[in-house]
Every structure is written in C-alpha cells, then in structure tokens.
Amino acid sequence: MIHLLGATVPVPYPSWLNPADNTWQVTAATFVGLMSIPGLAVLYASIVPKKWAVNVLAMMFAGFSLVLIVWVLWGYKMGFGDTSIGGGVHIVNGVATQTQTSGVGWFKHFWENFVGKPGPITNSYGLQAQADSAANTLIPFHFPTATLAYF
C-alpha cells in the first residue's frame, strides 16, 4: 500500500521548467563569472608592476561585487522589467503582456520604454516564475527568472 502512495506524488517542479535548460543556463553563467573574476583579474594583474598586482585584484573583486548587487537590485528590471526598449513585458499576476511601442502614440511611449523601471527581483515570484523575454521571442524560456538574471 505504501508504494502506491509514492506513485501519486506530484512532480516537484512546474511543467514549463526544463531541468536541462536550467542546468545549461546556470553552467554557462558560471563560466562567464569565472572569466570575469579570476580570468580578468589575472590578466590585469599581469599587465601592471608586481607591487600593484594585489591592488588590481582587489579592485576587480570590488567592482564585480558592486555590479552584481546593482544588477540584482535595479539593473535587471531596467533591462527586462515592465517597460524596456526591447518591446517590454508587463507582468500582472503571472500573465505577461507586451507594452505599446508602435502604432498610435509611438513617440509618446518611446521614452517611457527606453529604460525599464528599476526594482529588485528578490521576491518569491521573481525567483520562481518563468523567465520572460523583453523582446517577446517566439520560443519561451524553460527556466526561472532567477536563472536568467544570474546569466
């Protein structure tokens, strides 16, 4: 009787989530991060005199850390938020709709779609919801917003 209950357990992830796509996206983002911190730090440290190498390494780490914080708190939403230059996606209760960038009032909406509305993505919906493209591509993402922001 116990083994029958195990067969009725729901899948632990949503239907749109593809574990392989998510894994590859996180792996690719990690490779990019490894190029940034150790790769560029070693390159720049090898260019300057030896007495400045540690200072260059510290500046690379500090710059990367500050950009990471700004990206999570403001930058991601400025690029991919409610309005953006790529067409924009406005998400209300999990339903994504494109903001107006063409047709009547195109010039009026140009400046409000030029840069997205800054804001954090650290809420539960932003971390667990399906990622949306600001360009409204035909192929949907099969990983969460947190993975796209990490990339």
Side-chain angles (χ1 to χ4, degrees):
M1 186 70 153
I2 299 294
H3 67 283
L4 293 176
L5 293 176
T8 61
V9 174
V11 177
Y13 52 85
S15 61
W16 51 261
L17 181 64
N18 184 338
D21 285 357
N22 193 33
T23 302
W24 174 246
Q25 192 77 4
V26 170
T27 302
T30 303
F31 287 151
V32 170
L34 289 174
M35 285 188 314
S36 299
I37 288 291
L40 284 176
V42 169
L43 173 70
Y44 292 156
S46 67
I47 294 173
V48 299
K50 281 186 178 181
K51 64 181 179 179
W52 296 338
V54 174
N55 184 31
V56 168
L57 294 174
M59 285 191 305
M60 286 291 301
F61 181 75
F64 187 84
S65 301
L66 289 174
V67 167
L68 182 64
I69 290 169
V70 168
W71 177 252
V72 169
L73 294 180
W74 300 288
Y76 179 81
K77 286 270 183 117
M78 287 178 72
F80 302 105
D82 286 347
T83 58
S84 70
I85 196 167
V89 176
H90 182 70
I91 301 173
V92 178
N93 296 330
V95 178
T97 57
Q98 185 174 2
T99 58
Q100 182 180 1
T101 57
S102 62
V104 177
W106 177 86
F107 187 75
K108 174 187 169 209
H109 293 287
F110 177 78
W111 290 112
E112 66 188 40
N113 290 328
F114 190 68
V115 175
K117 297 176 184 173
I121 57 166
T122 54
N123 59 11
S124 61
Y125 180 77
L127 294 175
Q128 297 176 358
Q130 183 176 8
D132 290 312
S133 172
N136 272 351
T137 58
L138 296 176
I139 302 170
F141 292 127
H142 298 289
F143 44 81
T145 303
T147 302
L148 184 61
Y150 177 66
F151 182 74

